[in-house]
Amino acid sequence: MKYLVNAREMQRCDRITIEEYGVPGLVLMERAALAVADSVMDGEFCTDKVLAVCGSGNNGGDGFAAARILMERNVEIAVLFVGKEESMSEAARIQKKICENYGMNFVSNIDVHEYTCIVDAIFGVGLSRKVAGEYRTLIEQINQASGKVIAVDIPSGISADSGRVMGAAVCADRTVTFGFAKLGQVLYPGALYCGETVVWDIGITEKSFRGELPRAYYLGREDMRCLPRRMRYSNKGTYGKALLVAGQKNMCGAAYLAGEAAYRVGTGLVKIFTEECNRVIVQERLPEALLSTYEVLEEENSFRWPTAAGIGPGFGTGEGKWEILCLFLERCVCPLVLDADALNLLSGRTEKLRERRAPVVVTPHVGEMERLMGIPKKTILEDLPGTCRRFAEEYGVICVLKDTRTVISDGREICVNLTGTDGMATGGSGDVLTGILTGLLAQGMEPFAAAKLAVWIHGSAGELASKRLGRRGMLAGDLLKEIPTVLLEGENA
Ligand SMILES: NC(=O)C1=CN([C@@H]2O[C@H](COP(=O)(O)OP(=O)(O)OC[C@H]3O[C@@H](n4cnc5c(N)ncnc54)[C@H](OP(=O)(O)O)[C@@H]3O)[C@@H](O)[C@H]2O)[C@@H](O)CC1
Ligand SMILES: [K+]
């Protein structure tokens, strides 16, 4: 797990490192500048003629210092200062003065075809409002330049909190960021503007959070260590019973995909509840699964049998479906995953969620969230983490808000998933996630941990499938075959 910080958290971290631990700000700045200079010179960029565009804050200070280091290394470098002298930060003023003392080449405009590489140090995490005027013009010129662009800390104009473009933003080929990755670098559209992001250690550690830890983070392969344990002395009963309430007429694939995914993450037994007409096809595709049909759901055993249930993929919203969903909410004591049509059924009557007896994980995509919360898609997309966290908090559930960057929250923490590919934007992907998640819950994982890991595994399976088949040709069913490989690699992590 690695932290994702917002601007306030990063600035607090900088301040504590400087004021409470006593590391001089200019030392941090020198290390930041060395990181930028090393990155410019690592061979990926043409350094025939480099331009550093520096603002008046400490981000500009990093830029001046990096320019000076590049000059020391005999790179032909020009410096462009943008901003007001009178509002310069103390460190930026010192760094600019050093550049002047060395007689470095200061220019006042950009010839877009002159430079082979541009260092963007206009704004960093201190961006406080929309970009306009000469700053905007400059950013547009940088974006037209033929040379590659390296952003210092974050592309100028991108909000470190949300990834939003604040009027205009530099589109970088690489972003060299310091200490911790910023939320705005992983959320869209910010992620598109960062290019490749490199997190550089400049001497700011987690100690500088001083107990006030950031809310947001992302998982890495090492987090696979919390997968349910396998034991030599065990049987299928040891690894849980997953029930998938899924599929209606003409929608049997959802039941199959979710069912197989549950098995593929190690569940002992999987049962599929579906429409009678799906019986033959589901049993042919997945003979390992037990099968029952909606007609027998009233039996009390239906609710006692599973150790986790996933309800909704291809379930439909027609006659009798709301009643089935209500029965599960009212009677089931095992964790429930509510997806797709279960969420559509809940739209406009989300209060029903409060009548549940068991822990609930909801897995809406943005369209489903729009219907669930009754707020426009645009508003949700502007703040995926906040929307996800608020829903989870309000209903006391775990919320998995699915998008290019799926966000998972328990109402307090926010996990942003960084695995996955656009090849997963294909019918049935969500059903596979429901199966993975239900399977992990069935094996006894705690719901928040299961939700985070399920999304990570799902995205990793997508990456493997897209490597094997390409992002265009892969199908949701191809994710199933990759799940075992993801788990195997995780075991060795
Ligand atoms: N602290 C440290 O020691 C370390 C910090 N580090 C580096 O410092 C960066 C943070 O520095 P920072 O806090 O000085 O803010 P920064 O991003 O330079 O921007 C502030 C300037 O921009 C201006 N401004 C803002 N928005 C604007 C707009 N829309 N349009 C126009 N102007 C606008 C604002 O002007 P003002 O609002 O005062 O008018 C002010 O002048 C961080 O990203 C990292 O690179 C590293 O070296 C490690 C050590
Ligand atoms: K920048």
Side-chain angles (χ1 to χ4, degrees):
M1 182 267 260
K2 291 200 172 69
Y3 288 114
L4 291 166
V5 297
N6 60 28
R8 191 192 58 78
E9 288 162 341
M10 194 62 228
Q11 284 166 328
R12 178 174 173 270
C13 235
D14 286 344
R15 188 182 54 71
I16 289 174
T17 310
I18 296 166
E19 292 175 10
E20 300 187 23
Y21 288 107
V23 181
L26 283 172
V27 170
L28 295 178
M29 191 170 273
E30 196 69 14
R31 289 183 71 173
L34 275 164
V36 174
D38 285 349
S39 197
V40 169
M41 296 189 72
D42 74 354
E44 288 285 310
F45 298 89
C46 175
T47 54
D48 287 353
K49 200 160 187 195
V50 183
L51 175 72
V53 187
C54 308
S56 52
N58 287 338
N59 193 254
D62 293 345
F64 288 120
R68 183 234 314 146
I69 294 164
L70 289 168
M71 178 270 299
E72 288 163 13
R73 296 178 184 178
N74 297 320
V75 171
E76 186 180 343
I77 174 111
V79 180
L80 194 160
F81 169 60
V82 57
K84 296 187 196 75
E85 289 276 354
E86 61 275 15
S87 60
M88 287 187 88
S89 74
E90 186 53 28
R93 195 183 301 280
I94 291 171
Q95 299 294 358
K96 179 166 177 278
K97 187 79 181 77
I98 298 173
C99 289
E100 287 163 356
N101 292 344
Y102 274 108
M104 289 178 65
N105 176 24
F106 274 76
V107 295
S108 52
N109 51 36
I110 298 186
D111 175 344
V112 291
H113 298 302
E114 193 176 348
Y115 301 99
T116 58
C117 178
I118 296 178
V119 176
D120 156 38
I122 308 174
F123 309 121
V125 297
L127 181 77
S128 57
R129 54 192 181 276
K130 265 191 144 186
V131 177
E134 60 170 332
Y135 297 98
R136 195 189 170 112
T137 309
L138 200 55
I139 285 173
E140 283 163 0
Q141 284 171 338
I142 292 174
N143 288 343
Q144 282 161 17
S146 39
K148 293 268 172 93
V149 178
I150 295 190
V152 176
D153 211 14
I154 189 159
S156 299
I158 293 294
S159 157
D161 296 347
S162 66
R164 245 181 280 168
V165 176
M166 303 288 283
V170 167
C171 198
D173 296 284
R174 181 185 288 167
T175 296
V176 181
T177 199
F178 313 124
F180 305 97
K182 319 293 180 288
L183 260 170
Q185 290 161 348
V186 299
L187 296 173
Y188 284 90
L192 295 174
Y193 284 76
C194 287
E196 167 204 15
T197 299
V198 193
V199 183
W200 218 290
D201 170 23
I202 61 163
I204 297 171
T205 70
E206 289 181 14
K207 288 197 171 81
S208 291
F209 291 132
R210 276 276 160 103
E212 223 180 273
L213 297 176
R215 276 188 177 190
Y217 53 84
Y218 62 97
L219 299 192
R221 190 168 304 282
E222 67 284 359
D223 293 291
M224 290 279 279
R225 285 191 213 113
C226 69
L227 270 173
R229 295 237 166 281
R230 300 299 285 193
M231 285 155 286
R232 280 173 62 189
Y233 189 53
S234 60
N235 58 51
K236 62 177 181 280
T238 315
Y239 302 112
K241 296 177 201 157
L243 179 73
L244 276 313
V245 185
Q248 59 171 335
K249 194 175 175 201
N250 301 329
M251 286 275 227
C252 70
Y256 154 68
L257 290 167
E260 179 161 338
Y263 261 137
R264 291 280 177 197
V265 289
T267 310
L269 262 182
V270 174
K271 188 192 271 186
I272 294 172
F273 260 114
T274 190
E275 204 100 35
E276 182 59 42
C277 59
N278 294 334
R279 180 183 288 279
V280 175
I281 178 95
V282 171
Q283 290 206 303
E284 266 179 15
R285 289 298 296 265
L286 192 62
E288 296 86 347
L290 306 173
L291 191 135
S292 189
T293 61
Y294 298 144
E295 292 75 27
V296 293
L297 247 183
E298 286 277 11
E299 290 172 22
E300 197 55 40
N301 188 34
S302 306
F303 309 103
R304 277 205 305 266
W305 182 83
T307 53
I311 311 169
F315 181 52
T317 55
E319 207 188 326
K321 296 295 168 55
W322 171 248
E323 288 70 23
I324 293 175
L325 175 61
C326 289
L327 283 172
F328 273 96
L329 286 168
E330 289 159 14
R331 297 203 198 165
C332 244
V333 289
C334 68
L336 298 178
V337 179
L338 304 182
D339 181 38
D341 283 333
L343 301 172
N344 293 330
L345 285 163
L346 278 165
S347 298
R349 39 192 177 185
T350 36
E351 287 307 307
K352 186 72 193 171
L353 277 174
R354 301 191 200 280
E355 288 173 35
R356 69 184 187 269
R357 294 177 65 190
V360 164
V361 183
V362 294
T363 59
H365 56 55
V366 175
E368 286 158 352
M369 197 57 157
E370 181 183 35
R371 293 190 284 278
L372 260 187
M373 293 185 83
I375 57 173
K377 232 181 212 175
K378 187 171 166 288
T379 314
I380 298 171
L381 286 170
E382 275 171 3
D383 185 14
L384 282 179
T387 311
C388 182
R389 194 190 61 72
R390 277 192 297 280
F391 190 87
E393 188 179 32
E394 183 166 352
Y395 292 98
V397 297
I398 305 300
C399 183
V400 177
L401 181 50
K402 297 184 292 196
D403 198 45
T404 306
R405 288 278 189 251
T406 293
V407 177
I408 308 108
S409 180
D410 62 349
R412 214 176 57 80
E413 297 177 10
I414 291 160
C415 176
V416 183
N417 185 59
L418 303 191
T419 63
T421 120
D422 53 88
M424 299 168 78
T426 175
S429 270
D431 307 332
V432 174
L433 174 64
T434 297
I436 296 174
L437 176 50
T438 309
L440 294 180
L441 288 168
Q443 292 171 73
M445 273 191 88
E446 179 272 314
F448 189 32
K452 292 184 284 188
L453 202 59
V455 175
W456 192 92
I457 292 169
H458 182 244
S460 300
E463 288 171 8
L464 291 181
S466 76
K467 267 189 205 135
R468 203 163 50 82
L469 301 162
R471 290 136 67 202
R472 289 183 179 81
M474 61 185 271
L475 297 182
D478 298 316
L479 302 177
L480 298 171
K481 303 188 194 85
E482 305 297 347
I483 294 170
T485 315
V486 174
L487 300 186
L488 203 60
E489 287 175 1
E491 272 167 32
N492 301 329

